Amino acid sequence: MLWNVFPFHPHEADAPLSNRCHTRSERVATWALLQSLIEMLRPRQIVAIGRDAQMALGELSIPTRAARHPSYGGQNEFMATMHALYGIDEMLTKCEPKLPLEIRHATNNNFAFA
């Protein structure tokens, strides 16, 4: 399952198609939702995708594994981290159809945050 540490789309006032970073107070206002979701799903592992997610989850003292965000040139490092976390052999993935990790390995019960 993939879930953002701030689960809404923050935008500039009067510009709903714009995009901005959420504020800490906005994120804190949604902590109860996040904590309830984790409690209900009880994931065995939580992966923080990107530094922002890792720092935000650290504020809640939630144990996580970190993966570099795939944007801005981080795709190879992200894929290597995900392969290591899921125990995927690089040689096998070159022969498999290119499906998202969450579809190919959904039974691992991991939880990722971006």
Side-chain angles (χ1 to χ4, degrees), residues 57-94:
L57 292 169
E59 290 179 21
L60 289 177
S61 300
I62 295 174
T64 64
R65 302 288 301 265
R68 181 172 176 187
H69 198 284
S71 64
Y72 302 111
Q75 184 176 4
N76 289 340
E77 191 175 336
F78 170 78
M79 292 301 293
T81 301
M82 297 309 287
H83 284 170
L85 290 174
Y86 280 93
I88 299 170
D89 184 346
E90 281 288 328
M91 294 304 292
L92 292 176
T93 61
K94 292 179 182 177

